[in-house]
Amino acid sequence: MSDDSQPVRLVVLISGSGSNLQAIIDATRSGQIPAQIAAVVSNRPGVKGLERAKQAGIPARVLDHTEFDGREAFDRALMAQIDEFSPDLVVLAGFMRILTPTFANHYAGRMLNIHPSLLPKYQGLNTHQRVLDAGDREHGVTVHFVTAELDGGPPAVQARLAVRPGDDAAALASRVQRQEHRIYPLAIQWFAQGRLRMHNGQSLLDGEPLPASGYLIETEAD
Ligand code: NHR
Ligand code: GAR
């Protein structure tokens, strides 16, 4: 709950299938996350995540970035759309557009992203293939606060898993996604409970600085 005891409000931004959105929907319904999803916004029309939102009775909006003249114009419209729903937290869930510093600063300390790598390693795209190409033995996923620096904001929660012989990018993506669906609801739960916050560029849990990796979750061999 926020200070005035109104339910915590989330706006979730997506670009695609929305499996993380689904995990968050399920965790709000089960009561794990003490918050409500006020709206889902996609920058791509016709994606499965929009269908998931409709199925759950959540307002869904499309803001197609190809219809805007540049990033600044798109981001201004996106901010206006999001702020109509007065969110306490903006959740990037497979959202694939880089956001301008103006946008990132507007939501500083109240925007999370999930990135499929052990940040600070492998910022940007194609993380699973890059892990394989480098011969890494470990991979994973990180929930972090979003700042103007792409994938550079302070980590909140990180799950690690072993790379196995014979893994290809699809196999890694699938095991990483299973962990995503655990750690994103957990991070949002902590934020909604007022336990997780960003302060002076650091993630704090219960007022204590988290390690540079964020709260670490070692996973089973699943
Ligand atoms: N914006 C800021 N300012 N800071 C972050 O940390 C952000 C962000 C926007 C998105 C997600 C991120 C990821 O988890 C994210 C974090 C898209 C790209 C990208 O290159 C890179 C990183 C992330 C998301 N997007 C291309 C672009 O030109 C488009 C790619 C596509 O449409 O498929 O925006 O990895
Ligand atoms: C997730 O694996 C997420 O980590 C990744 O996209 C997938 C979205 O899946 N995010 C990025 O690569 C961000 N650049 P979903 O739409 O099923 O949640």
Side-chain angles (χ1 to χ4, degrees):
M1 296 285 168
S2 49
D3 290 338
D4 53 6
S5 272
Q6 295 298 110
V8 169
R9 295 169 65 80
L10 313 177
V11 168
V12 182
L13 305 190
I14 62 167
S15 302
S17 97
S19 69
N20 280 286
L21 167 64
Q22 190 65 57
I24 297 161
I25 290 171
D26 295 348
T28 55
R29 287 193 165 159
S30 74
Q32 186 204 335
I33 298 176
Q36 66 181 93
I37 305 176
V40 169
V41 184
S42 173
N43 69 306
R44 290 188 192 281
V47 295
K48 186 172 173 189
L50 287 165
E51 217 35 63
R52 297 180 193 271
K54 282 174 202 153
Q55 283 290 330
I58 298 164
R61 300 282 187 273
V62 175
L63 218 62
D64 183 346
H65 65 274
T66 64
E67 291 174 1
F68 290 84
D69 188 15
R71 287 185 194 271
E72 294 285 348
F74 173 67
D75 279 14
R76 264 197 306 277
L78 186 56
M79 273 191 271
Q81 177 64 265
I82 292 167
D83 287 345
E84 271 182 38
F85 295 97
S86 309
D88 300 292
L89 180 67
V90 174
V91 176
L92 306 186
F95 183 72
M96 297 307 290
R97 297 302 299 173
I98 295 172
L99 298 162
T100 57
T102 306
F103 187 104
N105 292 333
H106 180 64
Y107 299 106
R110 48 190 186 112
M111 180 159 57
L112 293 173
N113 177 46
I114 190 155
H115 181 73
S117 80
L118 297 177
L119 288 175
K121 292 183 87 171
Y122 307 116
Q123 302 173 348
L125 303 178
N126 299 318
T127 57
H128 310 300
Q129 191 57 51
R130 288 159 68 200
V131 161
L132 291 169
D133 292 347
D136 290 0
R137 298 179 55 191
E138 247 195 347
H139 187 28
V141 56
T142 309
V143 175
H144 65 94
F145 283 99
V146 174
T147 64
E149 190 195 342
L150 187 65
D151 297 324
V157 184
Q158 184 171 85
R160 298 188 174 173
L161 50 85
V163 177
R164 297 179 191 158
D167 269 341
D168 59 11
L172 274 183
S174 157
R175 289 215 303 291
V176 165
Q177 282 224 339
R178 264 209 293 277
Q179 299 308 321
E180 294 186 1
H181 303 158
R182 295 174 60 199
I183 72 169
Y184 219 175
L186 178 65
I188 296 165
Q189 176 199 325
W190 285 345
F191 187 92
Q193 291 170 331
R195 298 182 57 190
L196 173 67
R197 63 195 176 93
M198 184 174 95
H199 180 71
N200 291 340
Q202 268 199 327
S203 294
L204 305 184
L205 183 64
D206 298 328
E208 298 293 329
L210 282 163
S213 63
Y215 185 94
L216 206 52
I217 297 200
E218 296 286 352
T219 63
E220 304 290 308
D222 65 351

